Amino acid sequence: MKRRLFIKKSTATASLLGISVTGINAMNILDSNTETNMNSFKLNYAPHLGMFKNHAGNAPIDQLNFMADQGFTAFEDNGMKGRTVEIQEKMAKTMSNRNITMGVFVAHKIYWKEPNLASGNTDKRKEFLKDIKESVEVAKRVNAKWMTVVPGHLDLNQNIDYQTAHVIETLKQASAILEPHNITMVLEPLNFRDHPGLFLTNSPQAYQICKAVNSPSCKILFDIYHQQIQEGNLIPNIDNCWNEIAYFQIGDNPGRNEPTTGEINYKNVFKHIHSKGFKGILGMEHGNSIHGKEGELAIIEAYKASDNF
């Protein structure tokens, strides 16, 4: 049925049954039987598993299909590396069938409380590089082009410049592993409030490291939530780092929930990113501000509103 005719008939039926037009709009969001997806976004927003589980159920394949039905064209999964090969292959097949682009997964063990890459310790470096090699196989299996890297905790016994040199050397070796496969590790600076004591915290620091590594396989994951807390000045910092940014993640502040729930003007930020011709993925790495099905519908509406520029 044509969308316009469907909405016209649905509204008329609603009038007869005493159902509000708002209720019909909620029904329309979930209707996957029309000729096209109900939503068409200007950017490639990527939900994650669990974000729509009240509508789609717990099965990863059902959740992916639900995301596609709502017009989302990308997906990210921090925990993909830990899933069975069977599940990875099934998810990859579904994403291929539904034209969903796979986003990031976490590539390695993250050291939240002790130094690893910043320390220069050769055993920690070998462990990291082994993780990267294993993650290449996962990436190939699920058609992923990006993987998240967090360099870990500061080494408080070393000058920051020595630590930076250690990190750069390790990332150069990791890039040599990734380059033949056209896979990019994206370095994620994290904010001081949620993750105190980490080595990588701000975008200029990530930019400096990527310039020093000088590889297409080492770029920045600009997490808008973390950088709002850490440094603010979002649009100018995005511009300053632009040629080293390969991936974005989203979350409003405070609360780390969907756009429109906090202080960040996501409509303007998305408009700016779109104006620069960004064709990559913006991961929806945040929670739902409202529980249940109502909250899941609120997520979709928030992205429709923020994408309406």
Side-chain angles (χ1 to χ4, degrees):
M1 183 184 292
K2 297 293 185 181
R3 171 171 163 75
R4 185 177 298 173
L5 181 59
F6 172 81
I7 293 173
K8 183 177 180 180
K9 288 187 175 181
S10 297
T11 305
T13 303
S15 178
L16 290 173
L17 297 178
I19 302 172
S20 70
V21 173
T22 302
I24 282 295
N25 287 338
M27 290 163 60
N28 288 346
I29 289 171
L30 302 178
D31 189 325
S32 60
N33 295 319
T34 51
E35 291 182 352
T36 58
N37 289 320
M38 300 304 293
N39 306 305
S40 180
F41 298 108
K42 298 182 180 73
L43 293 167
N44 297 311
Y45 307 113
H48 54 80
L49 293 183
M51 183 164 273
F52 300 114
K53 65 181 180 180
N54 289 287
H55 279 100
N58 291 320
I61 304 306
D62 292 340
Q63 293 187 47
L64 284 169
N65 280 317
F66 181 88
M67 294 170 194
D69 289 342
Q70 308 317 310
F72 293 106
T73 54
F75 166 74
E76 67 176 23
D77 182 16
N78 285 341
M80 179 64 86
K81 189 175 180 180
R83 305 193 189 282
T84 65
V85 171
E86 180 184 12
I87 290 296
Q88 290 173 0
E89 290 176 343
K90 286 182 178 179
M91 292 175 73
K93 183 178 180 181
T94 302
M95 285 186 278
S96 177
N97 290 341
R98 299 304 307 270
N99 295 316
I100 294 174
T101 302
M102 177 66 199
V104 292
F105 64 93
V106 175
H108 64 106
K109 177 183 178 182
I110 298 176
Y111 282 77
W112 298 107
K113 300 296 183 181
E114 60 180 291
N116 61 324
L117 301 193
S119 70
N121 181 283
T122 55
D123 288 336
K124 291 289 195 296
R125 178 176 289 166
K126 288 177 182 177
E127 178 189 60
F128 173 77
L129 295 175
K130 179 176 180 289
D131 283 347
I132 294 297
K133 290 177 182 177
E134 292 172 352
S135 291
V136 167
E137 297 309 309
V138 176
K140 288 159 65 176
R141 196 175 297 127
V142 300
N143 301 312
K145 293 299 182 184
W146 306 273
M147 56 178 71
T148 303
V149 165
V150 175
H153 204 275
L154 283 163
D155 186 339
L156 299 178
N157 294 316
Q158 293 193 51
N159 181 282
I160 189 65
D161 294 329
Y162 292 125
Q163 296 181 64
T164 300
H166 296 323
V167 170
I168 290 169
E169 176 56 33
T170 299
L171 296 178
K172 283 184 176 180
Q173 294 184 33
S175 294
I177 296 169
L178 296 170
E179 284 175 9
H181 305 283
N182 295 314
I183 297 171
T184 301
M185 58 181 167
V186 283
L187 312 183
E188 182 177 13
L190 302 174
N191 77 76
F192 69 94
R193 185 185 70 191
D194 295 341
H195 302 288
L198 292 189
F199 168 80
L200 186 61
T201 58
N202 57 66
S203 59
Q205 181 189 15
Y207 182 84
Q208 178 188 35
I209 290 169
C210 287
K211 284 296 185 185
V213 174
N214 191 29
S215 168
S217 287
C218 183
K219 296 295 179 182
I220 298 171
L221 190 172
F222 194 104
D223 187 309
I224 297 166
Y225 164 77
H226 284 300
Q227 296 320 116
Q228 171 67 2
I229 296 167
Q230 183 68 30
E231 61 195 17
N233 203 34
L234 291 171
I235 289 176
N237 280 325
I238 287 170
D239 284 346
N240 288 334
C241 292
W242 185 255
N243 62 359
E244 297 296 333
I245 295 174
Y247 200 99
F248 287 94
Q249 284 182 328
I250 302 161
D252 216 335
N253 180 61
R256 200 173 187 175
N257 290 314
E258 68 269 18
T260 73
T261 59
E263 67 184 357
I264 302 174
N265 187 339
Y266 265 107
K267 181 182 285 190
N268 274 358
V269 174
F270 289 160
K271 179 181 180 181
H272 186 73
I273 292 170
H274 182 267
S275 74
K276 294 177 76 68
F278 186 71
K279 303 299 183 184
I281 292 175
L282 297 92
M284 297 159 61
E285 197 187 37
H286 57 74
N288 299 12
S289 64
I290 304 170
H291 295 299
K293 289 186 175 182
E294 181 185 358
E296 294 173 3
L297 294 178
I299 292 277
I300 297 167
E301 289 301 319
Y303 276 89
K304 287 170 62 180
S306 299
D307 190 75
N308 183 24
F309 48 78

